[in-house]
Amino acid sequence: MDSRQLLKQYETGKTNFQGVRIRGAELLEADLIGVNLTKAELSSGNLMFAYLTRVNFSEANLTSCRLSGANLNQSKLIRTRLNSADLHGSSLQGADMRGAQLTLANLLDANLMDCDLRNANLSGANLSGACLRGANLREEGSNRSTNLRGANLHQTDLRGANLSGADLARVNLSQADLGDATLRGADLRGADLRGSNLSGALLTEANLSEAILDDASLVNARLDRANLIGVQASNCNCTQATLADANLKHGRFLGACMVDAKLARCDASRADFSQADLLRAVLSEGYFARTNLSQTNLTDAIMIRAEISSANLNGAQLNNATMPDGSTYRR
Amino acid sequence: MTKWVEVAFGAPSLANPRKRSQRPMVPSWLLDEVAQQLESQAERPQIHQLTFAANQHRWPQDSNVLDLYRLRDLVQDLTRNYSSFEELKQSLRHALSLAPESKAFVPAARTLLKVAKQAYQGDSSAAALPTEASLSEFPPTLGAEAIVSPFETRASNPIDNPLPTQPYDQIAATLEQSPSATRIKKLLYAVCSGEWSNDPVMLGRFRLSNLLKQLHKMSPNEEALHKALRNVVVTLNRQMEYELVAQLIQRECQKLYAPQDEIAKQASYGTAQSNATHIDPPGPAPSNEAPFNSTLGSGVDPVPLGFYDDDEGPEPTGILIPGTEVDTPVSGWETSPNSGSTPDTGPKVKASPSEPTEAWATPDYNPSYASSPQGDVAEASAGTVQAAQTLDWQGLAELRVELMRYANPLRVKALMFSTLYYPFDANSDSDWSKLQTETLGDLILRLMEQFQQHSSLEEQLQLVASRLMPNDEYGNAAGAIIRALRPFYP
C-alpha cells in the first residue's frame, strides 16, 4: 500500500490500517482523523500539518517522521517510536504517550498539555517553549520514570505538571515555568533552574544537590526534607517557602529573599546566606554551624534552639528576633 | 492538498504606517506613471531586484519569488518605507551592498533614482539635488566594498581614547587572563555594538578596557548590566558557555558598582583623578572618541535575531550568521539608517548620532529594546516597549497557552514570522531554520514591541493571513492572536 491508496481507502470509509507499512509516506496535510494505525510502519514519512486527532499510533514506528504542525490531540501514542521525529509546533493535547520513545525528538513550541508521558523516553529531546501544563510525567513503578536526561526544557511550561520521581538530573530548566508542579522525590541534581518559576511547587524530598537556582522564584514552594547540598540559589525568592528538615549544607543563598520562610530543623552548616532577607523566618532547631549569616535581615526571626554559636552574624539585623535561648533580641 | 504559496506581499505588508503618516501618500496615478517608466527601462530586471532588496533588506535569491512581487507594488512600498529622497538613496546604497555584483546594478540604481524622484517632488532633499548631482553618488565604479556601513567606518577608527581607564584596565587585565578571553571580548563587543563578530581583525581594533567602559556607561546599575549581558546570551547558540562568560564579566564588573568607600579603598593605589571614573559611569564621550553608543543612539544598529559563534563550527540550530547571511529575516543586520520598518504610529524622536539619547541615559534603559528591529532607541524606551511591558512573565505563559489551545502553534508562529519579517516560505529550508531560532514566546514579544496599537496589529495580521494558504487556517490563527493580545493593549 502507498500513501495515495491509504487516503483513498479512508475516503471510502475504511479506518482500520493496523500494521500498514508505508516507509517515507507522503501525507502532508492529510486528514486521517480517528484511524487505527497501530503497529504501522511510517518511519521517515512526511505528515506535516496532518489532521491526526484520535488516531491510534500505539507501537507504530514514526522514527524521523516530519510531524511539525500536525494535530495529534487525544491520539494514542503508547510505546510509539518517535525517536528523532520533528514535532515542532505540533499539538498533542491530551495524547496518551505512555512509554513513547522520543529520544532526540524536536518538540519546540509543541502543545503537550494534559499529555500522559509516564515512562516516556525524552532523553535529548528539545522541549524549548513547549507547553506541558497538566502533563503527567510521574514515576510509575520502581525504577521506571520518565527519562528527560539531556533534554532541553528552557522556557518550557510545566505548570501543574506531575513530575514526581522524574529523572531531571542536569537538565536545562532555565526560565521554565514549574509553578504548582509536583516534583516530589524528583532527581534534579545539577539541574539548571536559573530564573525558573517554582512558586507553589511541591519539591518534598526532591534531590536538588548542586542545582542552580539563581534568580528562581520559590514562593510558597514546599521543600521539606529536600536535599539542597551545594545548591546555588543567589537572589532567589523563597518567600513563605517551607524548607523544614531540608539539607542546605554548603548552599549559597546570597541576597536571597526568605521572608516568612520555614527552615525549622534544617541543616545549613557552612551555607552562605549573606545579605539574605530572613525577616520573620523560622529557624528553630536549625543547624547553622559556620554558616555565613552576615548582613542578613533576621528581624522578627525565630531561632529557638537553633545552633548558631559558630555562625557569622556580622552586620546582621536581629531586632525582635527570638534567640536560641528564647530571649528576644533588643538593640 | 493545499500547498503553501509565497504570495505577492504588496504595499501593505511592507509599508510603514508611521512614515505614511509623516508624508502624504503618493497619488496612485503618479505611482502608475513611475512604475510604467521603470517597466520600460532596459535595466528593468535589475531595478526589480533592487526595489525588492531595498524593501526587504535581502537580495532575492529566487527569480520565482521575485516574480510574485509586482514592480508597482514594490515602488509603492519604497515611497511608504522611505519618507525622503535622501532615505531612498540610502536604502538603495544598502541594497547595492547586498547585490552579488554591485557594480552591475549601479546603472539600474541611477535610473531608479532618476525616475522615482518624481514621487518625491514635495521633498526638499529631492528638490535641492539636481538629478545628475544626486546620481553622482553612485559612480559607475562603485562596488559593494565601497559601501561602508557607519559601523564599519567607526570600527576603522578605534575607540581608544586618552581618558583614564584605570578601573577598566584592571578588570580587563583580569579578564584577559581567563581561558575564555576571546569569548569575553566577543560578548562585550556584541553587547556594546548590537552586532556579533567573529572577525579577529575587527575585534582586535577594540581594547577590552574601552569595551568595559562602554558597558559600564550603558548599564547604570548591576541589574542593567545583568540584563544587557543576558539579552545577548539568550540569542546565542552556545548559551551555556556564554552564560558562564557573562557571569565572569558580571563578577569582575561588580567593583564598578560597589559603594564609594569600597571603591576608594580599592583604588587607593590609583590617582585621585581615576577614582572619579570608578564611581560614576562615564558620561557622554568626547568628540574625539567614537564610542558605540553614538551609533546605537542613532537607532541605526540592527537587532540580532540570533548571534552565531563560529568558533566551533555551525550547529544545526539555523541561527542566523550575521555578515554572511544576506537573506535575513530581520530588517536589522544592515546598517542603513532606513533599514528598520516600523509599522506603527506614535511619537518618534530621532536621536542624533553624535549625542547619547535621553533613553540611553535613563536608568530604565534596556539595551534589548535599543537593538530592536525598529532600531530607534528613543522610541523603544518611550513608547513601543509599553505594550510589551504590560506583559509580565506569567502573562506571557498564559498567552502561549491560549494560543496553543485555540490555534495551531506552528501556523501561529509562521503567521507571526510573516507579519514581522517577510512571507514565510514553507519550501525554504532556510526559513524553517529561522523559524526554529525563535520560540513562540520570543515572537509574541517581538510582535508587541513592533505594534504599539492593537488596531494596527489586527489590520496587519488579517492582511498577512489572507495572503497565506490555507486562508482558513491562518485566518483562525490571526483571530486567536488578535483575541489573546487584546487585553495587553490600552
Side-chain angles (χ1 to χ4, degrees), chain A residues 20 55 71 91 157 210 237 262 276:
Chain A
V20 76
V55 169
N71 189 334
S91 201
D157 189 338
E210 308 287 336
N237 187 354
K262 290 157 195 74

Side-chain angles (χ1 to χ4, degrees), chain A residues 29 51 69 109 175 194 197, chain B residues 230 247 393 408 413 473:
Chain A
E29 294 183 354
Y51 300 90
D109 289 317
Q175 294 175 34
R194 268 174 283 203
N197 178 26
Chain B
R230 178 94 197 128
Q247 280 175 15
W393 198 66
N408 183 308
K413 284 187 80 176
E473 288 280 352

Side-chain angles (χ1 to χ4, degrees), chain A residues 204-268:
Chain A
T204 306
E205 294 176 0
N207 190 348
L208 285 146
S209 57
E210 308 287 336
I212 307 168
L213 282 156
D214 297 334
D215 303 307
S217 174
L218 287 143
V219 177
N220 267 320
R222 308 255 349 205
L223 291 134
D224 313 66
R225 298 182 298 284
N227 179 353
L228 290 142
I229 297 175
V231 74
Q232 279 184 55
S234 298
N235 301 311
C236 73
N237 187 354
C238 293
T239 304
Q240 294 187 329
T242 307
L243 291 135
D245 300 295
N247 194 340
L248 310 172
K249 269 192 257 181
H250 297 283
R252 290 169 60 81
F253 296 88
L254 284 80
C257 179
M258 305 189 95
V259 175
D260 293 319
K262 290 157 195 74
L263 292 142
R265 298 177 304 280
C266 72
D267 181 350

Side-chain angles (χ1 to χ4, degrees), chain B residues 133-153:
Chain B
S134 66
L135 301 181
S136 66
E137 291 177 36
F138 295 99
T141 53
L142 183 71
E145 65 282 0
I147 300 159
V148 182
S149 71
F151 191 78
E152 286 161 342
T153 308

Side-chain angles (χ1 to χ4, degrees), chain B residues 92-378:
Chain B
L92 285 177
R93 202 169 290 142
H94 178 68
L96 277 174
S97 71
L98 300 174
E101 282 183 61
S102 53
K103 276 182 196 171
F105 287 87
V106 171
R110 297 177 75 182
T111 310
L112 176 58
L113 268 185
K114 195 174 175 179
V115 177
K117 189 166 173 277
Q118 299 167 65
Y120 288 86
Q121 284 308 320
D123 180 47
S124 56
S125 63
L129 289 166
T131 307
E132 285 311 313
S134 66
L135 301 181
S136 66
E137 291 177 36
F138 295 99
T141 53
L142 183 71
E145 65 282 0
I147 300 159
V148 182
S149 71
F151 191 78
E152 286 161 342
T153 308
R154 183 176 64 251
S156 65
N157 299 305
I159 60 169
D160 291 355
N161 64 77
L163 287 177
T165 55
Q166 194 179 14
Y168 308 109
D169 284 339
Q170 284 171 2
I171 299 169
T174 311
L175 291 174
E176 274 162 358
Q177 299 302 312
S178 163
S180 306
T182 312
R183 283 189 168 154
I184 290 169
K185 197 164 193 181
K186 284 181 186 179
L187 182 57
L188 284 172
Y189 176 84
V191 173
C192 295
S193 70
E195 62 181 45
W196 188 260
S197 178
N198 289 311
D199 179 1
V201 178
M202 164 69 93
L203 292 167
R205 289 176 178 149
F206 296 91
R207 279 177 54 190
L208 202 56
S209 56
N210 281 329
L211 291 169
L212 286 163
K213 187 179 173 186
Q214 180 60 29
L215 180 68
H216 189 206
K217 197 192 289 182
M218 286 166 61
S219 316
N221 51 47
E222 279 190 80
E223 199 185 331
L225 174 75
H226 175 76
K227 273 189 186 168
L229 292 165
R230 178 94 197 128
N231 285 334
V232 173
V233 170
V234 296
T235 64
L236 300 173
N237 62 332
R238 293 182 195 282
Q239 287 187 24
M240 291 302 285
E241 289 90 334
Y242 278 96
E243 184 61 45
L244 295 172
V245 168
Q247 280 175 15
L248 180 60
I249 295 170
Q250 179 117 21
R251 204 161 48 236
E252 288 304 318
C253 287
Q254 268 175 0
K255 54 191 76 159
L256 297 171
Y257 300 97
Q260 198 159 344
D261 54 340
E262 260 181 56
I263 293 289
K265 231 183 287 168
Q266 283 172 19
S268 58
Y269 298 110
T271 64
Q273 188 189 13
S274 65
N275 283 347
T277 63
H278 284 214
I279 298 154
D280 299 315
S287 57
N288 63 341
E289 193 177 352
F292 289 107
N293 66 331
S294 63
T295 311
L296 288 170
S298 71
V300 298
D301 271 2
V303 153
L305 176 63
F307 288 135
Y308 203 102
D309 177 17
D310 68 359
D311 268 358
E312 294 89 347
E315 283 180 357
T317 54
I319 292 175
L320 300 178
I321 308 170
T324 59
E325 177 93 53
V326 178
D327 188 13
T328 162
V330 189
S331 56
W333 277 109
E334 305 80 12
T335 44
S336 158
N338 306 310
S339 61
S341 173
T342 53
D344 217 333
T345 55
K348 187 171 181 176
V349 184
K350 198 76 189 168
S352 156
S354 59
E355 60 190 46
T357 62
E358 203 177 315
W360 190 250
T362 56
D364 294 335
Y365 167 68
N366 183 342
S368 69
Y369 296 118
S371 57
S372 69
Q374 294 92 321
D376 193 311
V377 177

Side-chain angles (χ1 to χ4, degrees), chain A residues 26 28-29 48-49 51 66 68-70 86 88-91 93 106 108-111 113 128-131 133 154-157 159 172 175-177 192 194-197 214-215, chain B residues 1-4 226 230 234 239-240 243-244 247 393-394 397-398 400-402 404-405 407-411 413 426 429 432 435-442 469-470 472-474:
Chain A
E26 199 44 65
L28 175 78
E29 294 183 354
M48 278 171 67
F49 292 113
Y51 300 90
R66 293 180 73 186
S68 14
D86 188 357
H88 176 195
S90 60
S91 201
Q93 195 166 341
N106 180 15
L108 172 71
D109 289 317
N111 174 3
M113 279 186 267
S128 185
C131 182
R133 283 198 185 189
H154 172 70
Q155 286 185 353
T156 302
D157 189 338
R159 176 165 280 273
N172 177 6
Q175 294 175 34
D177 188 353
D192 185 351
R194 268 174 283 203
S196 63
N197 178 26
D214 297 334
D215 303 307
Chain B
M1 193 180 299
T2 324
K3 265 193 80 83
W4 281 53
H226 175 76
R230 178 94 197 128
V234 296
Q239 287 187 24
M240 291 302 285
E243 184 61 45
L244 295 172
Q247 280 175 15
W393 198 66
Q394 190 69 42
E398 296 305 324
R400 287 193 313 161
V401 168
E402 195 172 335
M404 285 183 174
R405 201 165 265 160
N408 183 308
L410 196 57
R411 300 262 191 228
K413 284 187 80 176
D429 288 343
W432 278 112
L435 198 63
Q436 299 229 16
T437 62
E438 290 190 274
T439 61
L440 180 57
D442 298 334
M469 294 298 285
D472 55 340
E473 288 280 352
Y474 284 103

